[in-house]
Amino acid sequence: MSSRVRLARNLKDATFPGWAKKPERVRVFDLIRPAVESLPEMQDAFSEAMDNLSALDKQILVERHLISREHAAKSSGSGLVLNRDETFCVMINEEDHLRMQALRPGLQLRQAWSAIDHLDSELEKKLDYAFNNDLGYMTACPTNLGTGIRVSAMLHLPGLVLAEQINPIIQSVNKLGLAVRGLYGEGTEALGNIFQVSNQMTLGENENHHCRAAGTRFCPKSLSTRKTRGRRFWRRNRRSFTTTLAAPTAFLANAHSISSKETMNLLSLMRLGVDMSLFPGTERALVDELFILTQPAHLQKQLSDKLSAEGTRFDTR
């Protein structure tokens, strides 16, 4: 569904955000923010301090995978710079001083890496990074030490889930040095049968290796496996499979109320039906857009009145 390459960087002689007092965080933020805003890729970008954003706006950014849940909890001394087409986002004073990411649709890991590498190189001319000749880029967490890179792809794998093959796939992927997480990263559920796959190690290999590992070692294999097993599953269970995929459409069109979680899971089946040509005339892009727009904060943004907990269930008509 999408590709992301994220880099973690810190400033030399500045305390890591987790240990820094408020004045130090504010100082670092005031140093980094104008440097990022001056980049050609960030012309006319949205730039804001976290304490100036509402809780709803922060949650929308999380739902669009532009910032982390941890960054949404930040306040004074933290912020973000986001370009207008949402292909670059720089979090300032999250776990590290800089968490910069490039996002691209589909499987475009190399393109995402090329884009963020150029942005990082330009930014390094303006900021003095914390770098060690033996260890590489210094980071707050040892798992990011070295290259500071996190390469990830968002995969929609309902066929493997329906065929009860997802757990063996995840176990084999872990042996390849890749991590499989839920929709919003570590510790979250794979809502809508959407999984994040990323590298686990950052030390000892260069950035191109990690992009190749995620882009060629797992993703094409998983897609090939999904297609092969999907065809087998389709042949063996054509009637029940058709019913399974047709039901979500009827439910989504006629249900009086439905939760966001239910919506995600039903849209997942509908998207699979579109891929299997069961819904002629329905564009996959429409279903992908609904994945975003039906999440709680996006629904809240569209309404003038505050939603209650029960209000996350909405009238589908």
Side-chain angles (χ1 to χ4, degrees):
M1 297 182 74
S2 63
S3 302
R4 183 190 71 169
V5 178
R6 188 214 72 200
L7 296 176
R9 299 287 186 262
N10 287 283
L11 301 188
K12 185 179 180 182
D13 299 326
T15 307
F16 288 146
W19 288 91
K21 302 296 183 182
K22 179 180 175 180
E24 174 70 358
R25 293 197 307 271
V26 171
R27 183 188 72 82
V28 169
F29 176 71
D30 291 340
L31 179 65
I32 293 176
R33 182 180 181 179
V36 176
E37 291 173 341
S38 68
L39 297 172
E41 295 90 343
M42 292 301 190
Q43 294 302 306
D44 195 33
F46 172 78
S47 176
E48 193 56 87
M50 298 305 290
D51 51 351
N52 290 333
L53 293 175
S54 68
L56 180 61
D57 288 335
K58 291 178 182 179
Q59 185 58 31
I60 287 175
L61 291 168
V62 171
E63 290 178 356
R64 300 185 81 85
H65 300 279
L66 296 171
I67 67 172
S68 64
R69 294 175 299 160
E70 292 76 13
H71 199 52
K74 302 288 186 178
S75 55
S76 299
S78 296
L80 79 152
V81 182
L82 171 68
N83 73 334
R84 288 293 170 178
D85 59 5
E86 299 183 6
T87 55
F88 289 105
C89 185
V90 177
M91 292 179 280
I92 304 173
N93 278 337
E94 193 233 30
E95 184 178 56
D96 295 286
H97 293 139
L98 281 157
R99 286 285 181 94
M100 60 191 91
Q101 60 183 12
L103 301 102
R104 295 293 184 271
L107 186 59
Q108 299 190 67
L109 292 174
R110 291 184 180 180
Q111 293 88 335
W113 158 240
S114 177
I116 201 64
D117 181 37
H118 181 264
L119 185 144
D120 178 48
S121 297
E122 291 302 308
L123 195 55
E124 194 165 12
K125 297 175 183 178
K126 304 172 183 289
L127 300 172
D128 193 5
Y129 287 164
F131 184 84
N132 180 279
N133 289 330
D134 295 322
L135 298 175
Y137 290 102
M138 307 301 290
T139 57
C141 181
T143 59
N144 294 314
L145 189 64
T147 58
I149 194 171
R150 189 72 63 192
V151 179
S152 63
M154 195 82 75
L155 303 180
H156 181 231
L157 303 172
L160 290 176
V161 174
L162 286 172
E164 299 181 350
Q165 294 294 324
I166 191 65
N167 287 333
I169 290 290
I170 290 175
Q171 291 172 9
S172 65
V173 168
N174 289 337
K175 294 177 182 178
L176 295 174
L178 300 173
V180 181
R181 299 182 172 90
L183 179 62
Y184 296 111
E186 189 172 1
T188 64
E189 185 180 354
L191 291 173
N193 301 311
I194 298 174
F195 298 83
Q196 284 190 38
V197 183
S198 62
N199 62 297
Q200 295 192 64
M201 302 297 295
T202 61
L203 185 62
E205 300 287 353
N206 64 32
E207 294 88 346
N208 286 311
H209 166 83
H210 294 299
C211 289
R212 286 195 302 270
T216 63
R217 190 182 293 175
F218 173 71
C219 291
K221 288 184 179 181
S222 70
L223 295 175
S224 176
T225 301
R226 183 184 72 165
K227 290 177 182 178
T228 301
R229 292 180 178 173
R231 284 193 291 266
R232 292 177 192 162
F233 191 73
W234 173 259
R235 286 194 298 267
R236 290 197 305 265
N237 305 276
R238 183 182 181 90
R239 181 173 296 179
S240 62
F241 198 44
T242 302
T243 303
T244 299
L245 296 183
T249 309
F251 192 82
L252 287 168
N254 298 290
H256 177 69
S257 66
I258 183 173
S259 70
S260 296
K261 181 177 179 179
E262 288 174 301
T263 303
M264 291 284 286
N265 291 330
L266 290 172
L267 285 173
S268 170
L269 294 176
M270 186 175 178
R271 190 178 193 270
L272 180 58
V274 171
D275 287 345
M276 303 297 287
S277 302
L278 291 179
F279 307 122
T282 303
E283 296 290 334
R284 182 197 286 176
L286 172 62
V287 184
D288 289 347
E289 185 176 7
L290 287 173
F291 269 124
I292 298 295
L293 297 181
T294 56
Q295 293 181 81
H298 281 76
L299 289 175
Q300 175 71 70
K301 193 71 172 180
Q302 296 176 54
L303 301 173
S304 56
D305 297 328
K306 184 177 180 180
L307 286 172
S308 63
E310 185 65 20
T312 58
R313 301 181 66 87
F314 57 95
D315 191 331
T316 62
R317 295 172 296 177

